[in-house]
Amino acid sequence: MTNNKLTVSHAPFWHDGDSLFKMNLNIMIATLPAVIFGIIQFGAPAVGVIALSLSSAMLWELILNVVSKQKISIGDLDAAVIGLVFGMMLPATSPWWLVITGTLVAVVIGKMIFGGIGANPFNPVLIGMAFLMLSWKIFFNFDAAYVNYEFNFTALAPLAALKSQGVSAVADLFPISDLIMGKQVGAIGSTFGLGLIVGGIYLILRGYIRWEIPVSFIVGIIVTALAFSMANPDTYAGPAIHLFSGYTLIGAFFLATENSSSPVNRLPMLIYGFCAAAMIILMRNIGAYADGTILAILLLNLVNPLIDKIRPKALGKGANNA
Amino acid sequence: MIKRSFFTLTKPRLLYDLVEPDPKEPESIPIPSDLTLVLDEPIDSTRQALIKEGDSVEKGEKLRLYNQSTDYTISPVTGTISAIDTYLDDFGNTSTCLVIKNSQSQTTDTNSMTYDLKDDIASADEYFRTLPGAPPLKILASNTVKINTIIITCADMDLLSTTHQYITLKFWDKIKEGAKILKKLTRIPKLCITVPENLNIPGESDLIQVFKTSMEYPSNLPAMILKNHLSMILPAGKTPEDMGVSFISAEAVVSLATAYKTKSAGFEKILTIIGKQGTKYRAKATIGTPLHKIFNAFSIHINDQDRIVIGGPMKGFATYTHNHPVQPDMDTVIIQDRDIIPEVSDTPCVNCGKCIRICPANVPVNILVRYLEADQYEEAADKYDLESCIECGLCAYVCTAKIPLYQYIKLGKYELFKLRALETANDE
Ligand code: SF4
Ligand code: SF4
């Protein structure tokens, strides 16, 4: 009787088959409706920005892997997701150096120096974006970015217009149906509301994002915006324009939901989503920012570890049998 | 293997298997020429052993290593001891294995030694600890642990396993008989039995209270039975026995019934074997039989890199040899083809939260794992509920980063236990 070399390892001997690769691939698939729409809308430059953003993010991580002699980690597609979402948040006219500087900051400072995947306290994409916005604010003026484009809709970024011209002026400029269908000026992957929602619902159903976060986020937007506009309808816009323009929906489904920087317990997720959204509306309505999504989510990333401390009692611990 | 379904808005559900209706008789495996028995005590070369290689033993003879030994085994055959060796388990604990050369003919059934039994639990503990099903007689007979409830498990604890259910269907009368004996021996008033809710048991007994358990894993694990059927929350770090509850398998109860009738020990263990394609075979093999004899009987071929799992897919353990012997508590053996063995990774936790959703004990696995990886066991226990874990393995089953979480947790508990033992030793 020969004795074979058997595989010896530890229980459990089953796995549900999931992996980081599959999770990230699904996130990338979920961005497709919004990305493809953006490409159709903004043409070849959009393809360039997305492709450069995705590939440079992966390249930065690869370089860092090699330099610091770690295992090559880009196979899990985490850097690819960072690059892709980053690209979606840029105007199609962004110059090449802006893109690669942004992904450098996102991947290196946002993710790798904290220890790589799972260790980042902030969403890396937002770190990169915040850096670009602070350094080269001018490129994020979407009105200026698309001056050479011909659109068959109002060629003004809705939130900026809202800020500068007030509620009464924008009411007719941006019909809700236009906003939902992507007939608005904005970043490549942030304008097609319907597409983002479809992608987000896909991720929720597949269990790759935690539904509590986007749902409470959207509720937060609606409730807070409604509260403002009911208090003073002449100064503050209703929830619709807030929800369907700017980075709101990409924030709800692709930014706030980033695993490492968001809570995992139910109540904390609801608080986190709601507060991030409320913060966005506050910034838009009474702050200096036209959008505010990036800063608001970063802020909630910061307090996430505190919020996530609220969790159910573990079995056999605490009052019931102290 | 049950994979994640396409839509998983909620956590996955893993269901227990139900025994096939009207199950066939098990395949009887002939008694092999060499049998291996395991003794839960390391070899101590400084002491004078009671047994040595070359000693002849009789079927039913009680074997101990030393005069003071509390652990023993019973020889299932008449023959000679051909080897005494050290055996290492998963955590590096040592025990001893005895190889017995069988000198009785393989076909005729030699009678086993009969014992002089008294009607108390100590007397049962004297001879019957290693009966098929491994009755927890040591605990029941112990003076320090006070047991007030015995739970007979007809519902198998791990997935895929159906051995207990099979025994329940086939030997219901024996279970009732065994329950009567248990009651007489232990004087424990409360006897309960767990039965899967979808299984129809052949009858009722006014002696035993029936708990119908849910088909969803991990409802048959001891902590869940306590919670769902006895309304008891198992305090973190305590065992059911600490709470006065002892679990005994259906097979152990049946074995006890037979043993008391014949005043001798039985050695035939019933096993469910699950082949690579998921086919289930049922075997009856003598304790000590190497597993490959059973595989041969069912023409199961083992290749390099395949995995032999003893116990279920969630809580079992993998053996490195197909000579691994049948043991009193071995209910299920699974053979996994190397192509379907899921790999683990060294990726850190990405905080996806799947473990949090699925953990039945509300353990913050995502944080806990960080402390375990850093070997901070006290912190892990005090702040992050290491000891609340009921060891169901679900977190590792779903982990997106494929971290061997369950292994980390078990190792963590083991290290914590060692640390605490050291502390108490130092205090004294
Ligand atoms: S094994 Fe994992 S899922 Fe199961 S109780 Fe323990 S921590 Fe929770
Ligand atoms: S399932 Fe794994 S990767 Fe996800 S939070 Fe739990 S330990 Fe981390």
Side-chain angles (χ1 to χ4, degrees):
Chain A
M1 187 81 211
T2 55
N3 206 344
N4 305 91
K5 271 221 149 322
L6 298 170
T7 302
V8 185
S9 49
H10 302 288
F13 302 102
W14 278 2
H15 192 272
D16 70 359
D18 219 350
S19 68
L20 293 174
F21 176 84
K22 280 191 195 159
M23 178 179 79
N24 287 325
L25 189 66
N26 273 284
I27 295 177
M28 293 172 77
I29 291 171
T31 63
L32 284 182
V35 169
I36 291 173
F37 181 90
I39 288 172
I40 294 169
Q41 176 118 299
F42 302 112
V47 181
V49 168
I50 293 277
L52 183 63
S53 179
L54 198 153
S55 55
S56 64
M58 293 182 85
L59 197 66
W60 291 128
E61 181 157 319
L62 183 67
I63 292 173
L64 231 76
N65 285 159
V66 173
V67 171
S68 57
K69 301 202 172 59
Q70 296 159 332
K71 219 179 75 192
I72 306 295
S73 57
I74 53 171
D76 62 21
L77 293 185
D78 191 59
V81 167
I82 295 177
L84 179 59
V85 176
F86 195 86
M88 289 167 72
M89 295 179 71
L90 292 172
T93 51
S94 307
W96 63 269
W97 56 266
L98 188 78
V99 179
I100 62 169
T101 316
T103 54
L104 175 74
V105 175
V107 171
V108 177
I109 298 178
K111 172 182 170 188
M112 300 307 273
I113 44 173
F114 290 110
I117 190 164
N120 51 293
F122 301 100
N123 184 335
V125 173
L126 295 178
I127 295 281
M129 284 309 285
F131 177 78
L132 293 192
M133 287 197 155
L134 290 176
S135 313
W136 296 286
K137 196 163 190 287
I138 174 83
F139 289 102
F140 294 90
N141 180 340
F142 292 103
D143 299 337
Y146 296 113
V147 281
N148 296 325
Y149 278 75
E150 284 282 343
F151 295 115
N152 58 355
F153 49 82
T154 314
L156 287 173
L159 289 177
L162 177 64
K163 193 105 213 162
S164 57
Q165 304 181 22
V167 186
S168 50
V170 298
D172 303 330
L173 285 177
F174 307 105
I176 292 308
S177 58
D178 274 15
L179 294 179
I180 296 176
M181 293 316 293
K183 292 186 176 172
Q184 58 172 312
V185 164
I188 300 168
S190 73
T191 57
F192 186 30
L194 186 64
L196 288 166
I197 292 172
V198 168
I201 289 175
Y202 170 80
L203 287 179
I204 287 176
L205 292 178
R206 301 264 358 235
Y208 287 117
I209 58 176
R210 307 189 275 280
W211 65 266
E212 290 89 343
I213 296 175
V215 167
S216 60
F217 189 101
I218 289 170
V219 169
I221 294 278
I222 294 173
V223 169
T224 322
L226 210 58
F228 268 103
S229 85
M230 286 201 316
N232 197 344
D234 297 333
T235 327
Y236 302 117
I241 186 168
H242 285 297
L243 195 56
F244 294 108
S245 64
Y247 292 137
T248 312
L249 287 173
I250 198 174
F253 295 111
F254 295 95
L255 297 172
T257 53
E258 197 272 333
N259 280 322
S260 180
S261 53
S262 61
V264 292
N265 292 296
R266 178 152 300 160
L267 187 62
M269 289 193 278
L270 297 174
I271 297 174
Y272 168 94
F274 189 93
C275 289
M279 200 66 81
I280 291 172
I281 300 296
L282 280 176
M283 288 189 194
R284 287 179 187 175
N285 281 353
I286 50 186
Y289 296 92
D291 195 329
T293 307
I294 294 171
L295 219 59
I297 297 177
L298 278 174
L299 211 66
L300 265 291
N301 285 168
L302 184 72
V303 289
N304 158 46
L306 289 177
I307 310 178
D308 213 15
K309 282 214 162 73
I310 311 168
R311 59 180 176 86
K313 276 222 154 40
L315 190 73
K317 280 237 180 172
N320 39 10
N321 47 42
Chain B
M1 185 165 348
I2 302 170
K3 291 285 184 186
R4 164 184 229 280
S5 52
F6 190 80
F7 293 118
T8 50
L9 177 59
T10 53
K11 62 184 186 188
R13 286 158 52 96
L14 293 174
L15 300 183
Y16 285 108
D17 276 28
L18 204 62
V19 67
E20 63 280 10
D22 204 9
K24 285 200 312 236
E25 283 301 314
E27 176 93 20
S28 238
I29 311 292
I31 304 177
S33 54
D34 291 288
L35 298 100
T36 310
L37 306 174
V38 179
L39 268 172
D40 225 2
E41 188 179 12
I43 299 174
D44 178 356
S45 50
T46 60
R47 283 201 279 172
Q48 179 68 35
L50 296 172
I51 45 175
K52 58 178 189 311
E53 288 173 17
D55 282 1
S56 51
V57 294
E58 219 182 305
K59 181 171 180 180
E61 187 176 334
K62 187 168 168 177
L63 304 173
R64 289 183 305 156
L65 277 181
Y66 309 105
N67 251 327
Q68 298 84 353
S69 299
T70 51
D71 272 300
Y72 65 84
T73 184
I74 305 279
S75 177
V77 289
T78 299
T80 44
I81 301 179
S82 63
I84 302 182
D85 228 332
T86 292
Y87 171 81
L88 269 181
D89 81 357
D90 254 18
F91 292 111
N93 295 324
T94 48
S95 38
T96 305
C97 61
L98 307 177
V99 183
I100 309 222
K101 197 153 210 52
N102 174 13
S103 66
Q104 72 199 45
S105 130
Q106 307 221 342
T107 42
T108 56
D109 196 19
T110 327
N111 279 336
S112 187
M113 277 171 80
T114 52
Y115 311 119
D116 181 21
L117 293 171
K118 285 192 268 320
D119 271 348
D120 59 22
I121 192 76
S123 170
D125 184 41
E126 189 73 7
Y127 300 104
F128 292 148
R129 266 188 221 165
T130 58
L131 287 185
L137 297 170
K138 192 174 174 178
I139 286 165
L140 292 176
S142 145
N143 293 324
T144 46
V145 191
K146 200 82 211 93
I147 300 293
N148 52 40
T149 307
I150 296 182
I151 298 181
I152 303 171
T153 55
C154 293
D156 297 79
M157 289 193 192
D158 207 333
L159 296 170
L160 288 186
S161 318
T162 52
T163 306
H164 293 187
Q165 298 175 49
Y166 170 82
I167 299 214
T168 311
L169 286 192
K170 285 282 180 184
F171 304 102
W172 180 246
D173 289 334
K174 285 257 179 192
I175 291 181
K176 285 199 290 190
E177 219 176 286
K180 231 181 257 159
I181 294 171
L182 260 181
K183 210 161 204 170
K184 194 165 77 188
L185 296 180
T186 58
R187 293 174 220 284
I188 290 173
K190 191 159 176 179
L191 271 186
C192 318
I193 190 164
T194 64
V195 180
E197 61 186 355
N198 293 352
L199 185 76
N200 290 319
I201 42 172
E204 298 273 329
S205 157
D206 44 7
L207 215 56
I208 326 175
Q209 187 184 351
V210 176
F211 294 155
K212 287 275 184 182
T213 63
S214 140
M215 297 307 287
E216 191 170 337
Y217 186 81
S219 61
N220 292 336
L221 295 189
M224 299 311 270
I225 300 283
L226 254 55
K227 182 171 157 210
N228 297 338
H229 300 279
L230 291 170
S231 309
M232 271 162 104
I233 300 291
L234 190 62
K238 293 266 190 265
T239 62
E241 288 75 24
D242 294 334
M243 307 291 289
V245 181
S246 176
F247 286 78
I248 179 168
S249 74
E251 189 171 20
V253 176
V254 171
S255 308
L256 267 179
T258 316
Y260 262 83
K261 201 169 199 169
T262 60
K263 296 202 178 305
S264 62
F267 303 100
E268 290 201 307
K269 177 79 188 85
I270 299 204
L271 298 149
T272 306
I273 316 293
I274 297 156
K276 291 183 188 177
Q277 257 69 49
T279 328
K280 282 189 178 152
Y281 310 91
R282 205 156 274 121
K284 190 156 84 181
T286 303
I287 289 170
T289 305
L291 286 179
H292 67 79
K293 294 273 181 204
I294 302 177
F295 301 155
N296 284 351
F298 298 116
S299 317
I300 298 172
H301 294 286
I302 314 277
N303 301 317
D304 275 350
Q305 260 88 58
D306 285 354
R307 186 157 64 184
I308 301 175
V309 175
I310 292 168
M314 303 304 280
K315 291 176 62 65
F317 65 97
T319 175
Y320 56 85
T321 166
H322 54 195
N323 289 324
H324 197 105
V326 171
Q327 286 178 283
D329 60 349
M330 188 185 283
D331 293 325
T332 313
V333 179
I334 304 170
I335 298 100
Q336 278 187 321
D337 192 85
R338 59 173 170 216
D339 292 336
I340 66 141
I341 294 179
E343 85 263 44
V344 292
S345 83
D346 52 4
T347 319
C349 166
V350 297
N351 210 43
C352 70
K354 278 169 78 186
C355 51
I356 303 293
R357 269 194 213 280
I358 206 165
C359 176
N362 288 334
V363 175
V365 190
N366 61 329
I367 316 272
L368 176 64
V369 62
R370 291 162 212 246
Y371 284 85
L372 294 178
E373 279 176 326
D375 297 342
Q376 296 181 358
Y377 305 113
E378 301 268 13
E379 189 98 351
D382 294 345
K383 287 209 199 130
Y384 301 104
D385 306 326
L386 172 62
E387 293 172 293
S388 293
C389 167
I390 64 163
E391 307 198 358
C392 66
L394 284 169
C395 50
Y397 168 77
V398 298
C399 180
T400 311
K402 296 190 198 287
I403 304 171
L405 296 168
Y406 181 50
Q407 176 62 11
Y408 277 159
I409 289 174
K410 280 209 301 191
L411 212 69
K413 284 187 176 181
Y414 176 75
E415 292 293 337
L416 185 73
F417 183 75
K418 277 210 308 199
L419 271 177
R420 297 221 166 126
L422 204 69
E423 275 167 18
T424 20
N426 287 345
D427 286 348
E428 275 160 17

